[in-house]
Amino acid sequence: MRSLILTRILPPNGSYRAAHGVEGCGASSREAAWSGVSETTQRTVTARWVVPLTSLRDSLRTKRFAALRCVRGSVTALGWQDTYKDQVKATALRKSIPICTFLVLLLPACSLFSPEPVSSSFETMGTGATLTLAGKESSKLSGAADKTKQLMQDLNAELSVYRADSAVSRLNAVAGVRPLEVPEHTRRLFELSKVYGELTSGAFDVTIGPVVDLWRPVKGQTPSLPTDDALTEALARVDFRQIQLMDGAAFLARRGMRVDLGGIGKGYAVDLAWRECRNLAVRNFMFDLGGNVRVSGESESGLAWSIAIRNPFDRSATLARIEMPDDWAVATSGQYERFIEIEGRRYGHIVDPRTGYPAAGLAGVTILAPNATMADALSTGLFVLGPKRSIPIVKKTGAEAVFIPDKQPAELWVTPGIRSKLTVLIPAKVQVLPGW
Ligand code: AMP
Ligand code: MG
């Protein structure tokens, strides 16, 4: 086997260069200088790269095999293919500085051979959407972005409870009075919402609208806790089984019922966008709508797309990264996104339909699922149910989950299938979901 000599790693210098284009990385970085000798050519080559530490950690924990593929690409160019391949293979599972250096050196090198992903962002459905395409498909970006944007706008016009003329608002207005024709997507979403309602024994309930409204801040008013009477009255109007579906129409069987698709609509929208991109012959992309993400194919040079989970205890920081299975989706629910502060206490926007109170006990739930509608509905529903009662549902659906209890220091309770795909970026205990 040919040999390779690693010389040194320099101390952090504060500068920064993204090693692989998909992810934004933190500010901390390290300059690595490396030098190697090829036995074949007897040439000494030195190289110097500045990489973010987050990428370094990613490389060590999750990107080993992807890195190997990159390695081959870049190493071929230097004429050292076997050396890299053998040595990385031999020691990849050990955390060693030399191997760090290998990967630090080689990941940036691979970006020389694979064009960076390109992305287009727009506002829709009250949040931000980003379509990212692998660089090799960059020419399809603007066409696909225009199409998905239009789709999202049309869907929002059907579903939004903030628009009086949307199909959902018009149906809410005649609850308990008469059925109303509803467009196809709205009808389909009602069907799916009922499925997830049953699956979660009512923890996920899209008729939660009247209760959610009690926890919304009202402009110009000091927030106060809803009274028990108000909660009891609102809860009497909550029951997803009272959504009756008939040919092309829907009927909300109780007066005062209000459907709120906030817990599932974005996921459904992501699936629509995903299908549209595939229909447009885009194969390698990621679509993100307010944290509801679905991926397709690979990012560059065979790397799986990876997504970040924000730290629920420090929203400016990333808690972990997850390498996404092909075609899968991910969604996260947490009370930190939207909440109301009453007498110094925070109350979140995800409500437990059993009590009428915001669900408590967890800081966040992340669900990976084969489609984004499922990921979205389950992340909301399982946030309410809590880890223990969620286990049978996770097993039944084949989804993967990360539960973050609402206590510090942070802990991650995960399904066994997600462990190898997870890179935790802060000091946190990771364990298999208790009771699994
Ligand atoms: P997500 O961010 O996907 O977890 O959705 C949260 C939104 O879902 C809230 O802002 C409400 O509009 C709605 N929601 C709140 N509680 C529930 C619940 N128990 N079941 C279904 N939807 C809910
Ligand atoms: Mg949801």
Side-chain angles (χ1 to χ4, degrees), residues 285-303:
F285 66 92
M286 167 161 78
F287 188 76
D288 174 356
L289 179 61
N292 294 268
V293 179
R294 190 161 175 194
V295 304
S296 172
E298 52 201 31
S299 60
E300 82 271 357
S301 280
L303 290 176

Side-chain angles (χ1 to χ4, degrees), residues 319-342:
L319 175 75
R321 305 201 64 80
I322 299 179
E323 201 173 290
M324 293 294 294
D326 194 6
D327 292 353
W328 271 43
V330 61
T332 296
S333 288
Q335 299 287 41
Y336 45 78
E337 292 291 354
R338 262 181 292 147
F339 55 83
I340 182 173
E341 212 162 282
I342 305 169

